[in-house]
Amino acid sequence: MAVAASAIGGGGEGEQPVRSKANNGGGGEGERRFDVSGRVTGFGNPDWARTHAPATSTSPVVLAAIDAGAICVGTTVMDEMAYSIDGENEHYGTPMNPCAPDRLPGGSSSGSAVAVAAKLVDFSLGTDTGGSVRVPAAYCGIFGFRPSHGIVSTTNVIPMAQSFDTVGDIINHENLGDYIYHKVPSLGKFMSNTSEHQTSGIPSLAAISHSMLLLQRCEFKANHVEWVNTIKPNLGPGISESVSKALSETCENVEWCRAIRTELHAALCALLEDHGVLAIPTVPGPPPKLHVEPSTLEPYHARAFSLLSIAGMCRFCQINIPLGMHDNLPVSVSLLARHGADHFLLNLAQALYPTLKEQASIAWELDAASISADIDHFLSVAGINREGQDQSHHDNPEIPETAIERSVSQLEEEITRYESIAGDWSRKSDEFSLLDAIHRISKLSATLSTIFPSKTKYVMAKKRAGAVVQRAMSFLEEEFRSLLENSITKPEPRRKISKSKKPHSLPGPNHNNASPTSPETASGSPKTDPIYPPAVVEKLRKIAGVMIAAGYETECCQVFSITRRNAFNDSLTKIGFQKMTINDIQKMQWESLEGEIAAWIKAFKHSITISFSYERELAASVFPSHQAIARSLFSNLARGVIIQLLNFVEAVAMTKYSAEKLFKVLDMYEALRDMTAEMDNLFPAELEGSPSLRTDLQLEISSIRSRLGEAAVAIFCDLESSIKADDSRIPVPSGAIHPLTRYVMNYLRYASEYKNTLEQVFQDHQKSDNKSSGNDKNNNNNDSRNCSPFAMQFIEAMDLLDSNLESKSKLYKDPALSYIFLMNNGRYIMKKIKGSSEIPELLGDSLIRRRSSDLRQYHKNYQREAWSKVLACFKDEGLQVKGNVSKQMVKERFKSFNAMFEEIHRRQSSWVVSDEQMQSELRVSVSAVIVPAYRSFLGRFRQYLSSDKHVKYGPEDLENYIDELFSGNPSVGMKKRT
């Protein structure tokens, strides 16, 4: 068989493999029996390494491997003094078996085998005295070759028992007992002592094993007795006992053992001739588990050495051939050939290996199929169908206990493997998958308990099957939980919740006035992308089906409920909604609470329109054969989440009312209202006489909406109190817009955008003590009889604002300025009215015309109060004396005009008219009255003046100065411009 070249260095204990910088050849390792020049050969024991000097030369087998192009990688752990086939080392640790992590790796060449099985190296070197290459190769599922004794040099290899020692490679019938018994007559002495060998099963092989062990002990004693007695090394459990037995051996039967060896060699050479091969198990069973008491392994060791001793006693070559995994443990077979037939045996193994593996796989499948068929036949005859209903009226069938034991053992080993390595057990093409096996054993356990409740024959089988089913259910429960928690791959929905468009300056709406149902809900439930891949949902469905069929419905549903509720809460947290107590909400500052309300609205809409739809689909997909369970799981989840969300709303409704809270209260009200249709789709009406989740939730939401509606009415009506409470006696400088006007009109404008909602709220939730009684203005308005309750409240708020502004206008000493104040505020109010599509609908045309009329009247009143005296200067009366124009009177008239105009300019240039259009209209209207009158007066009477010193301004000057009025920047002075 072609093998990649590699080489291994020996060395002291505790060293880690160091990869060479060589760029050719394969990498390998070796156990610590091979000398490497300059390094201590540790022999698996720290006391040995401490008491021995570094080697002066390198083992020829190591040099040969290096010369062939191999790379020295490092040394490996071995059993102490090569005196065990288990592979455990108390001082340096036990290498982990890659095929079965909870099992022994085999020894003594444990590290060498593990390195190859784990694919850390191409191959490794080891020694085989009583099975130290063959056993770890069998345990780890790899090739292991024991060459013919003496074919490979053991020079510079620490001897254990040199007449048995070989250097081997580890790489990724007529009744034999009877034959040996008849051909090896010297065995009679050892076979008479049956008590020591009865556990082997074949007495002649047990005797061979006993003679080999005796020879090994004697050779070991000769090699190491002086060192052991001098150093008294610290040896691990098992090794200490073996060494002690070797040192106490009398060796009185050595010659008899050698005779047996000679006779056995001759007998088997005659049996095999030149090209014969002996096929035997390498070891008697799977690798024993780790950390087992040495005494419990003695029967296994006895059977193992009865197989391993054949090649050792005959000095034959033997190769371990891995056949794969069965019941999740490695299985192998050994081929033996006569001494010197090493190349023949390796070539044969290479040729047979593919066929052996294929045939082994077929045999295992047939074996598993046969057991499963036996159980299925038993269940069928017993009348247990797939739904678990008893249909049998005949005699109870029988099933072999061995079939039960093997099927249960296979399942237990399968579970052990998946627990340790997290295997992918959901292969769709595997007819005998883990889930199928669990389902079959759970049905078997239930059937045995049903039809054989007290039959002694099946007592142990029922207990074992029940225990394995319970373990399997625990495994499936954890797997179910793990899939639910760790397999989420796509949490984002297709449809996103629309964001609020309200500005940050004042709370605003997030709604659609056109319809009580938002655009998101108009088309029904949205389509959602799955957050679990279809393959994961299929796994969940299979697990749920098996658990429910086995009677573990409660455990399965509990895991599903808790996991999905936690996932749902996490999704709400990612949206921004945090679970809070009523006390937390009551203590929260409004600025913080406002953000929490926005998060609640988003979370509520997301839950109703997206998350709940998916949760319902998920439950139905995982429990397709148990729709009642699916409905119950979804209903419980939805009920819990909605109650949690409604508790938040209730807590907000209980907080102290304030004007700024109105819009967030309305946002929540609309969210509850607009999701009604979606919720009806999610929670269909249930059967008559059964409790209805839809009815319960409708009652809860209706109650919460009523509280929000009453809060909204109270908050809006409280606006009247806020207007009345603003009784400041300090006038706004320069007649500017009053802050109360800005606040109230902005508030009303945003409130008007909730017109449909507020009309519904006032219609459904306004109490009698909050109803507006109206006032004279409203009662005299022809439109008021058709007003909705909200419109009447809206109009009353505006009328209260008008009354308040009327009172505040009287605070100005200058009547003209009071009209400027009323014009500024009135114009601001009109702009807000015209800038809204809803306010005109609430006020009606007649009220808007009345306000326009009031503005025009304020304008006229201003002109009258501000400019009537100036215009009086341009009258002819009083300028004639005895029928002639008096020059003195003309001079006085011009002087009076100049003084009055300058005073008006001084005062009114500091006044403010915020609206540019109204500012321009005022200036134009003043110029249109004053400038023509002044020009006419100047033209008629300028001739009576001896000079122009009394005519300070021309008509153009007046126009320029009038254009400086209402700018809010008082002039520092006026200069004559003509």
Side-chain angles (χ1 to χ4, degrees), residues 738-753:
H738 199 282
L740 178 64
T741 304
R742 294 184 185 275
Y743 171 78
V744 171
M745 289 311 301
N746 281 326
Y747 195 86
L748 292 177
R749 181 174 69 84
Y750 283 113
S752 70
E753 295 184 15

Side-chain angles (χ1 to χ4, degrees), residues 414 418 425-434 436 542:
E414 188 82 355
Y418 288 118
W425 48 266
S426 61
R427 299 182 299 273
K428 292 185 178 180
S429 61
D430 186 3
E431 183 180 354
F432 310 106
S433 67
L434 178 61
D436 292 335
K542 288 182 178 180

Side-chain angles (χ1 to χ4, degrees), residues 188-441:
K189 174 179 175 60
F190 293 99
M191 291 181 67
S192 63
N193 187 3
T194 57
S195 62
E196 186 175 351
H197 318 302
Q198 60 186 359
T199 57
S200 69
I202 303 176
S204 59
L205 294 184
I208 296 292
S209 170
H210 181 70
S211 62
M212 184 191 74
L213 292 175
L214 191 150
L215 287 173
Q216 284 183 353
R217 289 171 186 164
C218 292
E219 292 180 13
F220 181 88
K221 178 179 179 179
N223 290 328
H224 305 299
V225 63
E226 182 179 353
W227 178 81
V228 173
N229 290 334
T230 303
I231 301 302
K232 294 181 172 46
N234 177 20
L235 299 173
I239 303 299
S240 178
E241 288 78 0
S242 297
V243 171
S244 178
K245 283 183 180 181
L247 298 187
S248 62
E249 179 63 57
T250 62
C251 300
E252 59 185 15
N253 293 317
V254 167
E255 292 305 321
W256 205 309
C257 293
R258 288 172 180 166
I260 291 174
R261 188 172 201 176
T262 301
E263 294 171 4
L264 180 65
H265 178 269
L268 292 185
C269 282
L271 176 66
L272 300 180
E273 298 182 342
D274 289 341
H275 298 97
V277 174
L278 182 64
I280 62 172
T282 306
V283 287
K289 291 188 176 182
L290 288 167
H291 313 305
V292 176
E293 284 293 327
S295 60
T296 63
L297 291 176
E298 289 180 1
Y300 182 90
H301 286 166
R303 294 194 301 272
F305 281 120
S306 71
L307 297 169
L308 298 166
S309 62
I310 298 173
M313 289 291 284
C314 294
R315 297 183 170 89
F316 279 10
C317 54
Q318 178 177 343
I319 184 169
N320 175 77
I321 301 177
L323 299 180
M325 304 288 287
H326 184 52
D327 292 344
N328 302 314
L329 293 170
V331 176
S332 60
V333 67
S334 274
L335 300 181
L336 286 80
R338 64 174 178 78
H339 184 276
D342 299 63
H343 289 293
F344 161 73
L345 182 61
L346 290 173
N347 290 333
L348 179 64
Q350 184 180 27
L352 291 179
Y353 179 60
T355 302
L356 287 173
K357 281 203 70 173
E358 180 181 358
Q359 293 302 313
S361 177
I362 293 173
W364 293 334
E365 289 180 3
L366 291 174
D367 181 56
S370 176
I371 294 174
S372 298
D374 288 344
I375 294 176
D376 290 340
H377 176 72
F378 168 75
L379 294 173
S380 176
V381 174
I384 306 299
N385 63 12
R386 292 294 181 182
E387 287 73 31
Q389 296 173 337
D390 191 353
Q391 300 171 345
S392 176
H393 301 285
H394 308 286
D395 292 338
N396 291 327
E398 297 287 333
I399 183 171
E401 293 176 83
T402 54
I404 300 174
E405 176 62 28
R406 290 188 65 184
S407 62
V408 170
S409 297
Q410 287 175 1
L411 175 59
E412 189 171 33
E413 296 296 340
E414 188 82 355
I415 293 173
T416 298
R417 185 169 76 90
Y418 288 118
E419 285 177 337
S420 62
I421 63 175
D424 180 12
W425 48 266
S426 61
R427 299 182 299 273
K428 292 185 178 180
S429 61
D430 186 3
E431 183 180 354
F432 310 106
S433 67
L434 178 61
L435 280 175
D436 292 335
I438 293 174
H439 184 52
R440 180 177 292 108
I441 298 303

Side-chain angles (χ1 to χ4, degrees), residues 930-945:
I930 300 300
V931 173
Y934 180 74
R935 182 179 286 111
S936 175
F937 183 79
L938 185 62
R940 297 198 312 272
F941 296 103
R942 189 170 190 172
Q943 58 183 321
Y944 297 103
L945 299 176

Side-chain angles (χ1 to χ4, degrees), residues 72-104:
C72 179
V73 175
T75 60
T76 58
V77 175
M78 60 175 286
D79 283 283
E80 293 181 77
M81 307 183 78
Y83 221 138
S84 174
I85 60 169
D86 294 334
E88 293 183 302
N89 190 304
E90 184 182 66
H91 308 289
Y92 303 116
T94 301
M96 186 181 73
N97 187 335
C99 288
D102 64 330
R103 301 280 175 151
L104 292 171

Side-chain angles (χ1 to χ4, degrees), residues 423-493:
D424 180 12
W425 48 266
S426 61
R427 299 182 299 273
K428 292 185 178 180
S429 61
D430 186 3
E431 183 180 354
F432 310 106
S433 67
L434 178 61
L435 280 175
D436 292 335
I438 293 174
H439 184 52
R440 180 177 292 108
I441 298 303
S442 67
K443 289 175 64 178
L444 176 62
S445 176
T447 303
L448 290 174
S449 298
T450 300
I451 66 176
F452 301 121
S454 58
K455 195 168 184 177
T456 306
K457 177 181 179 180
Y458 293 110
V459 169
M460 294 305 297
K462 286 191 294 183
K463 288 183 179 180
R464 178 130 165 75
V468 172
V469 168
Q470 186 173 4
R471 181 183 174 189
M473 291 302 117
S474 297
F475 168 75
L476 290 184
E477 183 178 334
E478 288 305 312
E479 194 69 25
F480 197 62
R481 177 183 289 106
S482 177
L483 286 171
L484 287 168
E485 290 178 344
N486 303 322
S487 302
I488 298 176
T489 59
K490 198 169 185 179
E492 292 299 323

Side-chain angles (χ1 to χ4, degrees), residues 35-146:
D35 284 347
V36 174
S37 179
R39 301 180 67 183
V40 174
T41 308
F43 209 19
N45 181 272
D47 290 329
W48 182 282
R50 177 175 56 80
T51 57
H52 286 75
T56 57
S57 59
T58 299
S59 166
V61 70
V62 174
L63 292 174
I66 294 175
D67 289 343
I71 302 171
C72 179
V73 175
T75 60
T76 58
V77 175
M78 60 175 286
D79 283 283
E80 293 181 77
M81 307 183 78
Y83 221 138
S84 174
I85 60 169
D86 294 334
E88 293 183 302
N89 190 304
E90 184 182 66
H91 308 289
Y92 303 116
T94 301
M96 186 181 73
N97 187 335
C99 288
D102 64 330
R103 301 280 175 151
L104 292 171
S108 63
S109 303
S110 55
S112 297
V114 167
V116 173
K119 300 181 179 179
L120 301 176
V121 294
D122 300 317
F123 79 94
S124 62
L125 296 178
T127 59
D128 191 310
T129 302
S132 296
V133 165
R134 292 163 288 163
V135 172
Y139 285 5
C140 294
I142 56 176
F143 287 93
F145 177 61
R146 171 193 166 92

